[in-house]
Amino acid sequence: MSYIVEWYRDLMDNKHDPRTQEWFLVSSPGPVLTIIATYLYFCISAGPRYMKDKKPYDLRNTLIIYNFIQVLLSLYLVHEGLMGGWLYEYSFICQPVDYTYKPSSIRMAHAVYLYFMCKLIELLDTVFFVLRKKDRQISFLHLYHHSLMPVCAWIGVKFFAGGHPTLLGVINSFVHVFMYTYYMLAAFGPQMQKYLWWKKHLTTMQIVQFIIVFSHNIQMLFTSCNFPKPLSFLLTINAGLFIYMFGSFYANNYMKSNVRRELKANGAANGTTSVNGHAISKEMDRGKSD
């Protein structure tokens, strides 16, 4: 236990990024973990109990404004990530963290911090689901993703505010431009449904982003680069888990649903329906009812 305490103190006191140490919510993991614990408690327990006997809140205008702000923030993060390094200075093979105070490194550090704050703001996605009684959309994948991303972003701000892992933030923000645009349009109401045919492609973009992040970090394990290999390993494992979970979500919600629709259409064309997995002739059903 004493070894763990000493290791933790050394990590917090000596291994942090000196440029970000005094920034809001960065000095200690306590506040972030408290926010996430409160978020999970509200979304899993307190919120559903509060809404049990209440009508869903109409948050249409709130959602439109919220998603529009998220689109703007995501666009800004993509711009800052590219201009802060990935468009000009950074290497896709090996990019150590630059802890100096030169303008481009400080610019990237501020972008990493803003990305961290955005991950906290995005916890409102689930809060809105609870208040609108959209409990079916609060899946394990949703909670895992929204809980883990603020922790990863905090680690980035605290220890690695720049360098190799920031590509994840740039790609993720790029995907969020489209994701929150979709949510904003959907918030306008049913009349927008005909323009939202591309919903499943958002999941495809999520999968592609984590494949890129997986590849970008796993190659670091086999190169000589002044960047912590344990962190690259953890990012690789995390990206692999997200590939699996988003891939399973895609298969269950789009591929299997297409198969079910085709089977239903074929059954209707052949004059059969399916009950408990057994095809029964409609004519036989009529005979039994007679």
Side-chain angles (χ1 to χ4, degrees):
M1 182 62 71
S2 61
Y3 172 79
I4 294 174
V5 172
E6 290 178 9
W7 172 82
Y8 176 79
R9 287 178 176 173
D10 179 62
L11 184 68
M12 291 294 112
D13 297 338
N14 303 318
K15 300 297 194 300
H16 63 266
D17 188 330
R19 302 168 302 171
T20 64
Q21 174 65 8
E22 302 302 323
W23 294 359
F24 180 60
L25 296 179
V26 175
S27 61
S28 167
V32 174
L33 295 177
T34 301
I35 290 170
I36 294 172
T38 304
Y39 157 79
L40 289 172
Y41 174 70
F42 175 83
C43 296
I44 295 173
S45 179
R49 284 191 282 109
Y50 170 76
M51 293 299 299
K52 183 177 180 181
D53 299 319
K54 292 181 171 60
K55 293 182 179 180
Y57 284 95
D58 181 11
L59 302 176
R60 177 180 174 179
N61 292 333
T62 301
L63 289 172
I64 292 172
I65 295 171
Y66 168 77
N67 289 309
F68 179 67
I69 292 173
Q70 289 285 19
V71 171
L72 295 181
L73 287 173
S74 298
L75 284 169
Y76 180 75
L77 283 170
V78 172
H79 177 266
E80 289 301 288
L82 292 175
M83 301 304 293
W86 287 107
L87 193 60
Y88 299 110
E89 300 180 17
Y90 278 21
S91 166
F92 287 90
I93 304 299
C94 170
Q95 184 58 52
V97 181
D98 182 357
Y99 292 105
T100 68
Y101 287 83
K102 74 176 185 179
S104 61
S105 65
I106 291 295
R107 184 174 188 173
M108 183 62 83
H110 280 106
V112 173
Y113 181 71
L114 178 59
Y115 180 79
F116 162 61
M117 298 304 293
C118 284
K119 296 303 110 178
L120 293 177
I121 295 171
E122 286 169 18
L123 298 179
L124 289 174
D125 290 1
T126 324
V127 173
F128 293 145
F129 283 153
V130 173
L131 296 179
R132 296 165 64 215
K133 302 187 82 167
K134 301 285 185 179
D135 296 343
R136 189 175 62 87
Q137 295 178 283
I138 307 176
S139 63
F140 172 79
L141 171 59
H142 179 92
L143 290 173
Y144 177 80
H145 180 67
H146 278 70
S147 300
L148 188 64
M149 291 305 290
V151 175
C152 293
W154 179 84
I155 292 173
V157 178
K158 177 72 175 179
F159 303 102
F160 312 101
H164 201 79
T166 57
L167 183 65
L168 182 156
V170 175
I171 298 174
N172 185 244
S173 298
F174 177 77
V175 172
H176 278 198
V177 171
F178 296 93
M179 187 181 79
Y180 283 107
T181 297
Y182 175 91
Y183 291 154
M184 181 181 66
L185 294 175
F188 279 97
Q191 69 273 16
M192 298 299 296
Q193 288 301 314
K194 60 183 177 181
Y195 303 110
L196 301 177
W197 51 267
W198 43 283
K199 179 181 179 181
K200 71 175 183 179
H201 298 301
L202 292 174
T203 306
T204 303
M205 292 178 70
Q206 294 274 24
I207 296 171
V208 170
Q209 90 167 305
F210 288 115
I211 290 175
I212 295 173
V213 172
F214 180 89
S215 304
H216 187 235
N217 282 282
I218 197 171
Q219 57 89 23
M220 290 278 286
L221 303 177
F222 307 100
T223 59
S224 177
C225 183
N226 185 23
F227 189 83
K229 281 184 168 49
L231 179 62
S232 295
F233 177 75
L234 290 175
L235 289 171
T236 301
I237 295 298
N238 187 49
L241 287 172
F242 277 128
I243 291 169
Y244 170 75
M245 287 190 288
F246 276 98
S248 299
F249 175 85
Y250 185 92
N252 291 329
N253 286 272
Y254 300 115
M255 297 176 68
K256 290 183 179 180
S257 62
N258 289 338
V259 171
R260 285 194 292 268
R261 280 196 294 269
E262 290 176 6
L263 290 174
K264 186 176 181 180
N266 291 336
N270 295 328
T272 61
T273 57
S274 177
V275 179
N276 295 328
H278 299 285
I280 301 175
S281 168
K282 290 183 180 179
E283 290 299 324
M284 288 178 65
D285 285 343
R286 276 197 213 101
K288 287 182 180 180
S289 63
D290 291 343

